[in-house]
Structures are given as C-alpha cells and as structure tokens.
Amino acid sequence: RRATCLVAGMAFGVAWLVFIDSIIQYNTCLDRVNVDDICAWGKPPNNQTIAHASDRNVLLMTTPAPPQWPAITGRPALVYLPGVLGAVALFMVNTVEPYQLSMSYAEMVEGASPTALKIWLFVGMLAGLTSIILSVWVLLDVYMRDPALHHEPAIAAIVQSVFIFVSSGIFWVGRSYGEDDLWGSDPLL
C-alpha cells in the first residue's frame, strides 16, 4: 500500500517538476552562459555575458539583459490550465474510497449515496482526461500555429497531464490495498 502511494506521489512530483523546468527553461534558456546558441532558439538581443576591453586584454563580466523571447501571455498562457485541472481531478478521484462505491456501505452509513459518489468519481476521471485533451489542444492549436513560440512548454504540459492522470489512478488503486488499521502504524513514518 505504501509503495503504490509512494509511486503515485513520485509521478505527481515528476509531473510538476517537468512542467516547471520547461517554463524556467523557456524563460531563461541559460542566458548567463556564453555559448553559441545552446537552446537552438537563436540568440536573444543584448546577450553578452563576456565583453573584451579595447584598451587592455582583460575580460570584463557584464550582466546580460533578460532574454527577449515571446512571453507566455494571452492564449499561450493556456498551457498552465491542464496541470491545474489535473490536480483538481486528482483531488476529486482520491476523495472517494473504493469501498464507498458498494451498496453495503450505503446501508452502514445513513445518507450515503453510492450513486452520487460514482458520479463524483466519474467527473473526476473526466476532468483528468480533459486535462490531457486540453494540453494536446494547446500544443496543436496555440503553439504549433505561431512560429514565434517554442513548443516545449506545451509538450511539458502534455507530459504533466499524463503523469498526473496516471498518479491519480495509481493512488486511488493503491489506497484500496491493505488493511486500514495498518496505515500509519509504523513508528518511523
């Protein structure tokens, strides 16, 4: 039970790290390193990390200007939405325990409705799938149509959405294994 939940948490963490790294890479692209076009995106204006002094053969360090690639605003900012929707889907799916979907649970708890929980679970899974579809749409419709935009953040959004959806399923299934009274009984955790 712990191993599956650990794997699910790791997948969720990797999803966000991939996306955040892509956004940071898009915004900076190692702009403080003086190499020939490390990102293969073309040099941004005013990117001069090292300047030669004309009267002496000394290297002067200068602070580079921030890169001038297109900002992620307007429609390209939709790249942030799939991850948020996937996180909401993870919450929705994992608020329902598998045993709560049976009719025997409804007989034990007054006012419990397995049908309402099934609808909640379905909407959560649908939100997770929608986040994947939305991230693919953002890549194809927003980022591929504009040649000035680099599509790495949109690809990272697809990876993020898939990893969050998979971690949601792993976590939901992983919590159903084992006994409830053993959860958290390890004094080292």
Side-chain angles (χ1 to χ4, degrees), residues 151-173:
H151 55 274
E152 286 82 3
I155 291 173
I158 293 172
V159 171
Q160 177 193 31
S161 297
V162 169
F163 270 61
I164 290 175
F165 184 73
V166 167
S167 73
S168 169
I170 291 172
F171 191 57
W172 190 75
V173 170

Side-chain angles (χ1 to χ4, degrees), residues 7 11 15 29-30 55 60 77 107 115 117 119 124 136 172 175 186-187:
V7 168
C29 186
L30 302 174
D55 56 338
L60 298 176
E107 294 169 357
T115 305
L117 290 174
I119 292 171
V136 171
W172 190 75
R175 290 184 319 139
D186 189 359

Side-chain angles (χ1 to χ4, degrees), residues 132-185:
I132 295 172
I133 293 167
L134 180 63
S135 62
V136 171
W137 173 79
V138 166
L139 172 68
L140 297 178
D141 191 46
V142 177
Y143 278 82
M144 290 295 197
R145 286 186 185 212
D146 190 356
L149 291 173
H150 302 284
H151 55 274
E152 286 82 3
I155 291 173
I158 293 172
V159 171
Q160 177 193 31
S161 297
V162 169
F163 270 61
I164 290 175
F165 184 73
V166 167
S167 73
S168 169
I170 291 172
F171 191 57
W172 190 75
V173 170
R175 290 184 319 139
S176 65
Y177 291 122
E179 298 177 23
D180 288 331
D181 58 351
L182 294 177
W183 182 254
S185 63

Side-chain angles (χ1 to χ4, degrees), residues 112-125:
S113 173
T115 305
L117 290 174
K118 288 176 185 176
I119 292 171
W120 179 260
L121 182 66
F122 176 74
V123 170
M125 294 297 275

Side-chain angles (χ1 to χ4, degrees), residues 80-101:
Y80 298 110
L81 190 59
V84 173
L85 185 61
V88 169
L90 180 122
F91 169 75
M92 289 179 71
V93 167
N94 287 294
T95 55
V96 177
E97 295 277 346
Y99 70 87
Q100 294 173 338
L101 300 175

